[in-house]
Amino acid sequence: MKSQQESKRFADLWGTTDQRRFVMKRKIAFVVMGTCLFLFLGLPAWAEDPPPFLATWGSYGTGDGQFRYPYGVATDTVGNVYATDRQNNRIQKFDSDGNFLTEWGTYGSADGQFRYPIDVETDGMGNVYVVGEYEHRIQKFDSDGNFLTKWGMYGSADGQFNTPRGVATDSVGNVYVADAYNNRIQKFDNNGNFLTKWGTYGWGDGQFRYPHNVATDSAGNVYAVDQNNHRIQKFDSDGNFLTKWGMEGTGDGQFSYPIDVDTDGMGNVYVADSFNHRVQKFDSNGNFLTKWGSWGSGDGQFDLPTGVATDSVGNVYVVEIDGQRIQKFGPPVPTIICEGFKPPLAAGTVTARGNRALPLKARVFDADGYEMTDLELTAPPVLQLSFQSASGGDPLDVTGDALPAGMGTEGNEFEYNLADGVWQYNLKTKDYTATGAYTITIVSGDNVEYFIDPTCTAVFQRAE
C-alpha cells in the first residue's frame, strides 16, 4: 500500500481518485547416480513459469535514459524500444538492451511537440505513433522522430477524440485508438483516415467504462483494456465482440485498474495490472497462464506498471510510472522433460546383457506447456555417450559404433523415433564391463531452436 504522502503526490500528478482511475494505462537434467542404483528426477511440464528478469534501465531525471514519469512502451521490428517520457515531453528510443539511441519532443502543441505524451506504438514499416491525450490527437513519426502527419481534435464526431489514451496497429497498417472519454475504439488507416468505430458507455459486451489501451494480434483481433470495468474485451478487426475476461480483484485473471495490453507472436496476451503491481499473461481466449510482480523496486517488482510490450523474439518490456524505469524479461524457455530411463537391470548390477535397451525419452514442451510434435521439431537432437574410468583421467567420447578396449565386447547403437511428441532414444549394447561412470547426454541438433544446451543427462556407474 502507498503512504498518504505518496498517494497525495500521485493525485497531484494525475488528478483526483476518480480521474486517476481513468488515467492509470535447459538444462533440465535428471541425473541417475549411485552405485548400482538408478533414480529419476523430473519437473512437471505443464506449469508455466514467469519469464526470467534480464535487465532494467532508467532513473528519475532529464538526461538521456532518465525519465520523469514514463508511461507507454513499444518495440519495432528490429528490437528497438520506445517510451513516452511524460513530464519530459519527449519520446526516448533505446536498443533492446536499454542503450540510449535518440529522443525527440518538447513541450507544446506544434507538430512534433507534446503535452505529456501517454502512449506510443509502431507499425511494420517502422513508423511511430504517439498519443497526445491533452491535444486530443495522434502524431506519426518515422523511426528517427521526424514528423510525418497528425490527426484528431477535441470532439465526439468520427476522427475526433476526447482524451485518447492508447494506440495500436495491425499487420496491414490499420491504426486503433482507445478514445477513453468517448468510451469507444476508433479505427483508421495509417494516414489517419477514419474507417469505423465501436463502443458506448456501460457494462455490457462491447461497452466500455474508459477504455485505456488497445492491442492487436497476428490474426487481426483487437484487445481493449476496459479499465474501470476491470476486464479485457476481445473483438474482431471490425469491432464485433468475441469474448471478455476479468473482474475487480487480486486473484489470477482478476484486475485492479488495468492500463495496458499487448500480444506476442504466439497470440498470448499480456496485461499491465497496474494497481496490483504485476503483469498477467493469458492465451488468446483469456485463459490464465502466469503472472509476475509485486509492489517494490527490486528486479521483477513493479511500482505502478503502466505499459507492456513484446518484441519479435519473445522478450517482454514493462514500464513503471512511479518506478521511473523499464524492465526487460526474457521469453519463457521450453521445458525439456527427460524421463523413462529405466534400465532393465536387476538392482546391484549395471551390466546389460543380451539385446536389451536403455530407453531415454525427451519430451519437449513449448513455453506454454503444450507438447511439441514432429511438425515443430525439424531435426532430432544428438545423443552422446561418454565414459570416465573409476581410476580417473579424462572422459572418453564413446559415441561411435565401437567401444574402446576394455569397455565391452560389442559396439553400441543409437536409435530414435518420435511418437506423440516424444523423442525416444534407445542405447543398445551387448555388454558393459568397464568400471566407471557412463554418461548419456542429449545435446542440440542442427536447426533445433528448442535445444540450446545439453538438456538431458543420465549417469550410471559400475562399481568394482
Side-chain angles (χ1 to χ4, degrees):
M1 298 294 291
K2 288 186 171 295
S3 68
Q4 291 182 349
Q5 183 178 5
E6 288 174 313
S7 298
K8 182 180 185 304
R9 181 182 62 77
F10 192 69
D12 289 342
L13 180 63
W14 296 111
T16 66
T17 299
D18 288 339
Q19 291 170 334
R20 189 164 69 249
R21 288 174 178 172
F22 305 151
V23 176
M24 296 284 56
K25 249 197 55 156
R26 271 159 218 234
K27 180 173 171 180
I28 289 180
F30 74 82
V31 179
V32 184
M33 299 192 68
T35 302
C36 310
L37 295 177
F38 294 83
L39 300 175
F40 171 72
L41 302 177
L43 292 175
W46 5 151
E48 180 173 335
D49 292 328
F53 169 83
L54 296 182
T56 184
W57 65 90
S59 60
Y60 184 84
T62 60
D64 295 344
Q66 293 184 310
F67 301 109
R68 293 174 66 213
Y69 305 101
Y71 203 93
V73 63
T75 64
D76 62 21
T77 56
V78 296
N80 297 313
V81 180
Y82 302 80
T84 56
D85 188 4
R86 274 182 74 84
Q87 286 206 332
N88 283 326
N89 294 290
R90 64 185 178 183
I91 303 299
Q92 293 199 64
K93 178 181 177 180
F94 306 88
D95 67 19
S96 61
D97 294 319
N99 297 302
F100 175 82
L101 298 178
T102 192
E103 66 179 36
W104 67 90
T106 59
Y107 181 83
S109 300
D111 295 345
Q113 292 186 313
F114 306 110
R115 293 173 58 209
Y116 312 109
I118 192 167
D119 197 32
V120 61
E121 183 60 291
T122 66
D123 64 20
M125 301 298 292
N127 299 307
V128 181
Y129 302 81
V130 180
V131 180
E133 62 171 335
Y134 298 129
E135 309 100 282
H136 309 283
R137 68 180 180 181
I138 304 296
Q139 293 192 73
K140 179 180 176 180
F141 304 86
D142 67 19
S143 60
D144 295 320
N146 298 301
F147 175 82
L148 298 176
T149 191
K150 65 183 176 183
W151 68 91
M153 58 184 295
Y154 177 79
S156 58
D158 295 345
Q160 295 180 327
F161 303 113
N162 185 355
T163 319
R165 289 278 165 70
V167 62
T169 63
D170 64 19
S171 59
V172 296
N174 297 311
V175 180
Y176 303 81
V177 179
D179 188 6
Y181 279 29
N182 281 326
N183 290 290
R184 64 185 180 181
I185 305 297
Q186 294 197 66
K187 178 180 177 180
F188 305 87
D189 68 19
N190 60 6
N191 291 313
N193 296 303
F194 175 82
L195 299 176
T196 191
K197 64 184 176 184
W198 65 91
T200 59
Y201 181 87
W203 292 261
D205 297 343
Q207 293 185 309
F208 303 106
R209 292 174 62 215
Y210 312 103
H212 202 89
N213 220 314
V214 65
T216 66
D217 62 20
S218 59
N221 298 308
V222 180
Y223 302 82
V225 180
D226 189 3
Q227 187 183 48
N228 280 33
N229 283 326
H230 308 280
R231 65 183 180 181
I232 302 298
Q233 293 197 65
K234 178 180 177 180
F235 305 88
D236 67 19
S237 60
D238 294 320
N240 297 303
F241 175 82
L242 298 176
T243 191
K244 63 185 175 185
W245 67 91
M247 59 184 295
E248 186 172 13
T250 59
D252 295 345
Q254 296 180 326
F255 304 110
S256 181
Y257 300 100
I259 285 183
D260 197 13
V261 61
D262 201 11
T263 65
D264 63 20
M266 300 296 292
N268 299 306
V269 181
Y270 300 78
V271 179
D273 187 9
S274 296
F275 279 29
N276 282 326
H277 304 285
R278 65 184 180 182
V279 173
Q280 295 195 67
K281 178 181 177 181
F282 305 86
D283 68 17
S284 60
N285 293 315
N287 296 303
F288 175 82
L289 297 176
T290 192
K291 64 184 176 185
W292 69 98
S294 60
W295 185 82
S297 58
D299 296 342
Q301 294 184 308
F302 302 117
D303 193 352
L304 282 172
T306 51
V308 61
T310 66
D311 65 19
S312 60
V313 297
N315 295 308
V316 181
Y317 302 84
V318 181
V319 64
E320 305 163 65
I321 187 172
D322 273 8
Q324 311 289 347
R325 64 179 179 174
I326 294 172
Q327 292 193 67
K328 177 182 178 181
F329 301 87
V333 297
T335 304
I336 311 300
I337 301 296
C338 302
E339 64 175 23
F341 192 78
K342 300 174 181 177
L345 308 173
T349 180
V350 292
T351 301
R353 297 185 182 280
N355 188 20
R356 295 180 175 179
L358 306 181
L360 176 62
K361 298 180 183 179
R363 302 177 66 192
V364 182
F365 299 83
D366 67 17
D368 294 324
Y370 296 102
E371 196 158 15
M372 298 173 63
T373 68
D374 54 348
L375 297 178
E376 295 162 310
L377 283 175
T378 58
V382 177
L383 193 69
Q384 294 182 341
L385 176 68
S386 64
F387 168 76
Q388 185 170 22
S389 170
S391 60
D394 295 331
L396 299 174
D397 183 357
V398 292
T399 309
D401 290 335
L403 291 174
M407 281 196 62
T409 57
E410 297 197 24
N412 59 71
E413 177 185 357
F414 299 113
E415 295 179 350
Y416 65 87
N417 60 72
L418 181 66
D420 298 325
V422 178
W423 290 104
Q424 178 169 317
Y425 302 85
N426 293 324
L427 170 61
K428 297 182 177 181
T429 185
K430 296 295 185 182
D431 197 354
Y432 284 118
T433 58
T435 298
Y438 297 81
T439 301
I440 305 168
T441 304
I442 299 175
V443 298
S444 298
D446 292 339
N447 300 319
V448 182
E449 61 180 309
Y450 290 94
F451 289 85
I452 54 176
D453 288 317
T455 53
C456 297
T457 302
V459 177
F460 60 95
Q461 295 190 6
R462 187 191 191 288
E464 292 280 358

